Amino acid sequence: MDDRYPTDVLAAGWRERNTKTLAEVPAERDTVVEVAEDGFCGAVTSVEGGLVELEDRAGRRRMFPLGPGFLIDGEAVRLAAPPVAPAAAGRARTASGSFAVADQRARIARPSRILVEGKHDAELVEKVWGDDLRVEGVVVEYLEGVDLLSGLLEAEPPTAERRYGVLVDHLVPGSKEARIAADVARSRHGAHVRIVGHPFIDVWQCVTPRAVGITAWPEVPRGLDWKTGVCRGLGWPARDKADLARAWQRILASVHSYRDLEPALLGRVEELIDFVTA
């Protein structure tokens, strides 16, 4: 008799035997792809940290993990990070727009410091100005609130050789931040401390809406935590701190250079770098 079952159907590899191999396509900028799960269709704008950002015709931007789950011309594909292009001729530039310094080790840290109000501020400054700061030997530290500045200055007083440049959120006339800045300027430490700031409630707003793929940052009612209100206004999850952390990583991933930041922040950071390296 003929054996109707000549092979073991449960032999190793039986799951993969009929699996279709997907073509791997580099996620090159402007490549138009469709997300198989929900039909979102857009052009690739960036790839970073294992995520690809797509922008549709309406200017809406969303981020997705690289890998399977995408369609190109109706065919299922696996998106992969594009190959790193060789350095172009001429002098390269850093994310801040400065000329890159090739083959130079980071300088030993200066006594002077740039202080920022929170972790998100520090991460944003590092992403755009990190290369410049390492060349200059400038360390960025965060205060967790400008209210703590006076105590830090008393514990570790600034000098002509140890200057502090301080970046403050929401530094506008009449604000608590402005009063603290004025008090420090009048104090015995004022000559060696430079406090500057941007007018936005939080450093999130220093990233341009265009970079994030939104038309504008939402208005948040008084009494509601600002970050929570922003996430709700944009339709992002905002149940807990983990959701807010993911929202910030999404915003930070949209920043590729100084062009993605508001001028109100750019000039102030450059001013502090000049102050602590003078």
Side-chain angles (χ1 to χ4, degrees), residues 233-268:
L234 295 175
W236 298 352
R239 295 180 297 271
D240 50 31
K241 290 184 178 180
D243 282 338
L244 301 184
R246 282 187 285 269
W248 167 242
Q249 289 305 313
R250 178 174 181 173
I251 295 167
L252 186 62
S254 70
V255 177
H256 306 290
S257 76
Y258 70 96
R259 296 183 179 87
D260 297 317
L261 301 182
E262 296 287 357
L265 175 68
L266 294 174
R268 304 295 72 75

Side-chain angles (χ1 to χ4, degrees), residues 161-182:
E161 291 73 34
R162 181 184 176 86
R163 298 181 174 192
Y164 291 115
V166 186
L167 180 67
V168 178
D169 296 336
H170 200 231
L171 188 61
V172 296
S175 66
K176 173 193 71 175
E177 292 79 5
R179 291 193 296 273
I180 293 174

Side-chain angles (χ1 to χ4, degrees), residues 55-60 215:
E55 181 177 359
D56 67 7
R57 291 183 177 180
R60 294 171 297 188
T215 56

Side-chain angles (χ1 to χ4, degrees), residues 33 38 46 56 64 72 100 125 159 209 215 227 276:
V33 299
D38 61 9
S46 66
D56 67 7
F64 303 91
I72 295 181
V125 170
T159 66
T215 56
K227 291 184 175 72
V276 300

Side-chain angles (χ1 to χ4, degrees), residues 223-240:
L224 176 63
D225 173 70
W226 189 84
K227 291 184 175 72
T228 300
V230 165
C231 289
R232 290 176 181 174
L234 295 175
W236 298 352
R239 295 180 297 271
D240 50 31

